[in-house]
């Protein structure tokens, strides 16, 4: 039990004390010491308990055993400890009786422990019941009906729970009685000790008193043992005296309670003294009187003794006075207690068991021993009732402490205690009654009790001696311990003050009574072991305080805050369908498809996508690409296009040249054969002709058109153009009202290379210098137009005529209405390219320069009938605009060449009024530039004169070139032609058939031929390209005259009259090239056919004589 | 207060409780211990205890100096029921943190929360 108490105290104290501790610390700094004190007290509690044991056992060996046993007990559960302690204590007593049998006792202890453990566990175990039962029986046997009643009452309370057990126990009682009686004796003592110890443990204050009582009791016991049965009678006396003392005690206790608070501080000393005293008492006294003698030992002792004496005396009073009262009250109490007990029992079977145990033992012991009885009676009646409640209380308190249900308990306890408080008084009264009753009973049972006591008696002196030794050695420790205990008590008091103060006050007297029984001494033993644990506690306390301090300091530095609520798991409930699918959804299924296009759940889409791509082609492939693929990347498209462009460009350029070559070859071959065939026939016709070929003008759109002009390129001598006048009666055929200009390659007579279209009549035309890539024309409506022959055919109209595609090219640029302010207001009579050669400047071969520069750095001059000479700059744009130029309205969409008006010049002579009178208004009909100097231009007029002008600078000397006679005749100058060899010689043909040969430098003609054409108008006269002295003349009568000045400078050498198909236009062509010198004349017939006649050898090959003749002429 | 006490009230940065690392550890443990495990009410208490222990050991070795660790392991059977778990702490948010990880398989879920509280 002491162990239990310790542990329970410790256990209970910790939480409670901690709470207090915290509170106190908060309140008071002084409390800081307490933990240590508590530990000390705890130690002290144990130690006192041990002391008690020691004193009881009174043998050093036994003490050791006890320590061992206490250690063992500690290790065991509380209940076990209780039981063990009881047993052990009883064993110890046995040992006292039977020193020699220690070993056996130990065995027995163990058995008993086991039993007790069981009992404790069952909280009213069989044995206990049995024992109780036995006790009860014993009591029945020994005690009078009163006790039976009590027992019954108690039993009822207990039996309510364990009637069965009782029955068994009763059956067994008779058999086991004697054994049990012994046990009971032991148990009885041990119980007392327990009680005492428990009290000690709880309140060491009570220990003093209890010790005192113990001493007395022990002394009694010793005496009893020694004196045997006789002694028992004495005992009764003593008991009486003791009872009185006990009563005194109670009274004193009550006083004490009051005093305790005062004394607590002082008690440290007192307790120690008392302990010492008690030991000494034990040793020295074998009677209570000796104890008093011992007072003389010290002042302390004296005080204690005085206390004891008081108690004794008080007790005596109480016993005397209250004897009867207690009796009555007891029943009441028991009844009350029964109720309480039931409560307790329900909660703590253990306690009840213990109570019963104690009670039963007490009773049994009472039966056996008077001393015991006295005490037990006090225990039983007061201690059984008041005691039991006390024990219960104590135990309860312990239990309460141990279990944290304290509050509820405390309340219960409070009730019980209250009742107990009342009971105490009763108990005091009852004591006497009980004692009286007991005495009677005891007397009957004295013999048996005395036997047991006899055995024990001899032991006590030894125990006393040993205790002395111990005490002497350990005083200081004890003192310290007791101080600690005091402090603990104080704490306990303060902490439990509300509930427990009342309890304690009640309990203490009772405890003190219980303490009178021998065990208070035993509790003094076994301190040493506990020091370790205590030290631990102390250390832990220190640590706790440190941590406490640490925490308080740290809490100032740290902010604690509530975290957000973390959602650890949020698992939504699964709906039934999902659950079903999860468990059964996959049964009997297999995967058939895989969804690729996840947002489109139609099944069709669960397969591969069909590959598609778009392609296109175009026929005819007008544009660059003939096929395409919109799905191709832009890059790829670009690449293919660029590839195609490259290829097509190169291919077309190649094909163009190659095909031309091939076509020319084929045509030549064909024409060769034809011409060979026809030449013979024609040679018959034309004397000068070495052969001829006919251009294929029988094209549907050319039929019926008159050819007004035939013109050869100066540079590309095989390129010819023919101007086909609009039809007289416009038909349904295409372009009937338009002028068509056909560009021919004379080697390729089968078809014209290009066909140019213009809406009105074309008066004159010319090729661009250099390569024949541009064609200029002046129209009757006063506009100047140009065609760019390089333009792709796609830019122009395509007309399908009789299975052939013909491209009719519209003018690339036209000044029609576009340059009204700067243009011509009358029909343009002549357009001429201004030669790029300026007089005095370096002579740059036209060909080379113009070819390389694309011939686009030149000027164009146009002359209209009113004598306005316009100069145009031909400009080639870097890039054509397919959509048409927004600013150059005259530019054909996609055209790249245009004319810019440069300057204009009025060349019309101011004719004298006289002249005007005579003649028609002046007209300018022809424009020619001096081939070697673009600054000089020559204009043929309707007055038979050729005016000489310069574009800039001073006027050149011959103002005009006139007839031989100084007569101005109103006659048109129909043709002017410069000699390709002698560049300063030119021929002028007039409408009256007059022909003159002029040198540039002379106004008068070098030669003049009148009537060479028989009065017929000269249409065209032209020098031969190969022979300087040969020229051809076509007159209006369709007579062709060929002159050879070398042979005859007065009349033509050949005159051919082409009568059946009149020749309307004529042009001489020829090339004086080194290998293939050829020369010929193109004759455009009225019918529209064009014949090419090659001159005979005589007219083609030039000789040095020709040059000389020319020179002679010029000279 | 004898002398001036010095306290280390903030952990070193490298010793700070890093939820991501802890979570990784937890996940590792859970994966290797729970993958393929069937829920068995007999075994789960022991399993969760041992899981908590092993996680604690693992996290302890992760070098979070001066951290007190609390490992909570909850294993529940998954039968389609809804579960909500949440936690709340009174702590020093500057130093203390927690990591949680959830392991789920067809028939059980396991929620592990590791709270690290800095010991000043």
């Amino acid at each position: 039990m002491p162990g239990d108490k310790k542990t329970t105290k410790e256990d209970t104290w910790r939480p409670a004390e901690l709470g207090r501790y915290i509170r106190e610390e908060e309140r008071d700094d002084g409390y800081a010491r307490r933990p240590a004190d508590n530990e000390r007290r705890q130690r002290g509690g144990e130690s006192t308990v041990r002391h008690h044991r020691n004193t009881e056992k009174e043998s050093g060996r036994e003490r050791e055993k006890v320590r061992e046993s206490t250690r063992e007990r500690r290790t065991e559960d509380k209940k076990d400890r209780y039981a063990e302690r009881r047993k052990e204590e009883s064993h110890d007593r046995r040992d006292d009786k039977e020193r020699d049998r220690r070993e056996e006792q130990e065995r027995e202890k163990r058995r008993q422990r086991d039993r007790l453990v069981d009992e404790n566990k069952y909280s009213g175990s069989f044995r206990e019941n049995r024992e109780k039962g036995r006790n009860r029986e014993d009591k029945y046997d020994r005690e009078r009906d009163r006790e039976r009643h009590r027992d019954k009452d108690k039993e009822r309370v207990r039996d309510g729970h364990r009637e069965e057990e009782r029955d068994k126990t009763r059956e067994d009682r008779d058999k086991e009685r004697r054994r049990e009686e012994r046990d009971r004796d032991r148990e009885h003592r041990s119980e007392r000790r327990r009680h005492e110890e428990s009290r000690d443990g709880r309140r060491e204050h009570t220990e003093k008193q209890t010790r005192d009582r113990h001493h007395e009791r022990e002394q009694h016991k010793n005496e009893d043992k020694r004196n045997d049965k006789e002694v028992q009678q004495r005992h009764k006396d003593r008991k009486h005296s003791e009872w009185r003392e006990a009563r005194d005690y109670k009274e004193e206790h009550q006083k004490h309670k009051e005093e305790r608070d005062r004394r607590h501080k002082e008690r440290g000393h007192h307790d120690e003294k008392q302990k010492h005293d008690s030991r000494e008492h034990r040793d020295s006294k074998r009677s209570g009187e000796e104890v008093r003698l011992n007072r003389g030992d010290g002042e302390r002792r004296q005080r204690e003794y005085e206390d004891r004496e008081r108690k004794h005396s008080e007790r005596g009073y109480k016993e005397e006075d209250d004897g009867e009262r207690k009796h009555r009250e007891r029943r009441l109490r028991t009844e009350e207690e029964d109720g309480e007990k039931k409560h307790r029992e329900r909660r703590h079977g253990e306690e009840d068991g213990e109570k019963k145990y104690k009670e039963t033992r007490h009773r049994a012991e009472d039966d056996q021993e008077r001393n015991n009885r006295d005490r037990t009676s006090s225990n039983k009646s007061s201690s059984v009732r008041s005691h039991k409640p006390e024990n219960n209380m104590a135990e309860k308190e312990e239990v309460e402490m141990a279990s944290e249900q304290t509050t509820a308990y405390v309340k219960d306890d409070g009730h019980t205690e209250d009742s107990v408080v009342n009971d105490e008084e009763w108990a005091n009264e009852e004591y006497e009654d009980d004692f009286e009753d007991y005495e009677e009973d005891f007397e009957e049972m004295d013999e048996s009790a005395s036997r047991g006591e006899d055995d024990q008696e001899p032991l006590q002196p030894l125990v006393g001696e040993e205790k002395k030794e111990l005490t002497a050695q350990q005083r200081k420790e004890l003192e310290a311990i007791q101080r600690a205990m005091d402090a603990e008590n104080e704490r306990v008091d303060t902490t439990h003050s509300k509930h427990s103060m009342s309890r304690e006050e009640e309990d203490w007297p009772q405890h003190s009574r219980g303490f009178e029984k021998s065990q208070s001494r035993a509790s003094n033993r076994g301190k040493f072991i506990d020091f370790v644990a205590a030290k631990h506690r102390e250390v832990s306390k220190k640590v706790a305080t440190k941590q406490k301090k640490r925490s308080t300091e740290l809490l100032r530095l740290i902010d604690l805050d509530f975290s957000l609520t973390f959602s650890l798991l949020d698992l939504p409930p699964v709906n039934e369908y999902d659950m079903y699918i999860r468990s059964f959804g996959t049964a009997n299924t297999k995967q058939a498809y895989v969804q690729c296009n996840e947002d489109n759940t139609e099944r069709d889409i669960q397969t591969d996508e069909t590959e598609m791509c778009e392609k296109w082609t175009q026929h005819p492939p007008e544009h660059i690409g003939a096929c395409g693929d919109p799905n191709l990347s832009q890059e790829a498209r670009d690449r293919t296009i660029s590839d195609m462009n490259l290829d097509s460009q190169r291919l077309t350029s190649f094909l163009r040249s190659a095909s031309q070559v091939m076509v020319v070859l084929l045509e030549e071959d064909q024409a060769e054969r034809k011409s060979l065939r026809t030449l013979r026939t024609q040679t018959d016709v034309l004397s000068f002709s070495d052969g001829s070929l006919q251009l294929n003008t029988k094209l549907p759109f050319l039929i019926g058109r008159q050819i007004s002009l035939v013109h050869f390129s100066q540079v590309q001598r095989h390129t010819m153009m023919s101007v086909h006048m609009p039809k007289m009666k416009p038909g349904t055929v295409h372009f009937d009202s338009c002028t068509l200009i056909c560009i021919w390659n004379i080697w390729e007579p089968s078809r014209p290379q290009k066909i140019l279209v213009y809406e009105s009549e074309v008066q004159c035309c010319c090729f661009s210098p250099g390569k024949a890539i541009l064609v200029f024309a002046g129209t009757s409506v006063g506009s100047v137009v140009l065609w760019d022959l390089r333009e792709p055919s796609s830019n122009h109209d395509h007309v399908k005529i009789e299975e052939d595609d013909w491209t009719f090219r519209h003018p690339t640029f036209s000044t029609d209405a576009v340059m009204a302010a700067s243009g011509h207001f009358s029909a343009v009579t002549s357009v001429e390219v201004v030669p790029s050669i300026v007089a005095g400047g370096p002579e740059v071969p036209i060909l080379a320069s113009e070819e390389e520069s694309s011939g686009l750095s030149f000027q164009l001059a146009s002359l209209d009938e009113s004598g306005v000479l316009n100069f145009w700059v031909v400009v080639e744009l870097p890039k054509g605009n397919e959509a048409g130029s927004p600013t150059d309205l005259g530019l054909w969409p996609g055209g790249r060449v245009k004319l810019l008006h440069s300057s204009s010049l009025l060349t019309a002579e101011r004719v004298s009024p006289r002249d005007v009178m005579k003649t028609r208004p002046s007209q300018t009909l022809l424009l020619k530039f001096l081939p070697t100097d673009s600054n000089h231009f020559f204009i043929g007029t309707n007055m038979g004169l050729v005016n000489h002008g310069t574009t800039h600078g001073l006027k050149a000397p011959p103002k005009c070139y006139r007839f031989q006679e100084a007569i101005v005749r109103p006659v048109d100058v129909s043709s002017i032609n410069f000699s390709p060899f002698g560049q300063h010689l030119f021929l002028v043909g007039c409408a009256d058939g007059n022909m003159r040969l002029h040198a540039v430098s002379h106004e008068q003609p070098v030669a003049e031929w009148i009537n060479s054409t028989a009065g017929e108008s000269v249409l065209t006269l032209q020098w031969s390209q190969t022979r300087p002295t040969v020229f051809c003349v076509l007159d209006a009568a369709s007579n062709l005259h060929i002159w050879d000045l070398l042979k005859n400078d007065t009349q033509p050498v050949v005159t051919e009259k082409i009568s059946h198909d009149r020749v309307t236009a004529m042009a001489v062509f020829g090339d004086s090239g080194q290998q293939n010198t050829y020369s010929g004349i193109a004759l455009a017939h009225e019918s529209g056919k064009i014949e090419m006649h090659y001159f005979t050898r005589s007219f083609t090959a030039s000789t040095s004589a020709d040059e000389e003749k020319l020179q002679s002429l010029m000279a | 207060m004898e002398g001036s006490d010095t306290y280390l009230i903030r952990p070193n940065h490298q010793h700070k409780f890093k939820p991501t690392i802890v979570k990784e550890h937890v996940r590792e443990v859970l994966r290797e211990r729970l993958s393929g495990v069937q829920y068995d009410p007999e075994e789960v208490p022991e399993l969760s205890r041992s899981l908590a222990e092993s996680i604690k050991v693992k996290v302890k070795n992760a070098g979070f100096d001066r951290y007190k660790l609390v490992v909570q392991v909850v294993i529940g059977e998954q039968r389609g029921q809804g579960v909500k778990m949440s936690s709340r702490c009174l702590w020093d948010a500057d130093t203390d943190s927690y990591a949680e990880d959830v392991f789920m398989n067809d028939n059980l879920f396991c929620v592990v929360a590791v709270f690290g509280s800095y010991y000043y």
Side-chain angles (χ1 to χ4, degrees), chain A residues 546-547 549-554 556-575 579 582, chain B residues 1-2 5 7 9 66 78-93 98 100 102 104 109 111 119-120:
Chain A
K546 271 190 179 178
Q547 288 187 343
K549 189 183 72 181
R550 186 181 173 80
S551 70
T552 52
E553 277 180 38
L554 277 168
R556 275 185 285 134
L557 304 174
I558 293 156
D559 289 332
L560 292 184
D561 49 358
F562 268 111
S563 65
L564 295 177
T565 300
F566 310 122
S567 176
L568 297 180
L569 175 65
D570 190 354
L571 198 65
V574 179
N575 62 35
M579 201 60 198
R582 188 187 291 176
Chain B
M1 307 261 190
E2 55 280 341
D5 292 333
Y7 297 112
I9 63 168
R66 303 185 72 173
Q78 249 196 329
R79 302 198 71 119
Q81 81 282 20
V83 182
K84 269 200 184 198
M85 279 182 63
S86 59
S87 68
R88 198 152 188 226
C89 308
L90 173 62
W91 63 15
D92 183 359
Y98 87 109
E100 53 97 9
V102 180
M104 302 247 262
F109 63 89
V111 183
Y119 185 66
Y120 299 101

Side-chain angles (χ1 to χ4, degrees), chain B residues 37-90:
Chain B
V37 171
Q38 295 281 324
Y39 184 87
D40 182 356
E42 304 280 318
E43 294 175 0
V44 157
E46 183 47 42
L47 176 63
S48 56
R49 264 191 290 276
S50 72
L51 266 179
E53 187 60 32
S54 57
I55 287 169
K56 190 188 77 187
V57 168
K58 189 140 195 166
V59 175
K60 257 188 181 175
N61 292 333
F64 302 124
D65 209 10
R66 303 185 72 173
Y67 267 98
K68 300 283 185 195
L69 299 173
V70 178
V71 180
Q72 182 190 23
V73 177
V74 176
I75 297 179
E77 185 172 13
Q78 249 196 329
R79 302 198 71 119
Q81 81 282 20
V83 182
K84 269 200 184 198
M85 279 182 63
S86 59
S87 68
R88 198 152 188 226
C89 308
L90 173 62

Side-chain angles (χ1 to χ4, degrees), chain A residues 376-436:
Chain A
T376 52
S377 63
S378 64
N379 288 338
K380 288 172 190 172
S381 57
S382 67
S383 77
V384 165
R385 289 161 206 163
S386 66
H387 215 313
K388 286 172 194 167
E390 290 170 3
N391 292 338
N392 294 339
M393 298 290 295
E395 293 169 356
K396 286 171 195 171
E397 289 177 355
E398 295 171 358
V399 174
E400 289 167 7
M401 307 286 272
S403 65
E404 297 181 355
Q405 304 170 349
T406 48
T407 54
Y409 238 115
V410 170
K411 291 171 188 171
D412 295 343
D413 293 337
H415 293 293
T416 55
E417 289 168 3
D418 294 344
S419 62
V420 172
V421 174
N422 299 331
D423 295 347
E424 287 177 15
E425 298 172 357
W426 299 336
N428 294 335
E429 299 170 352
E430 288 173 350
Y431 261 37
E432 296 174 355
D433 296 344
D434 293 345
F435 292 157
E436 293 171 0

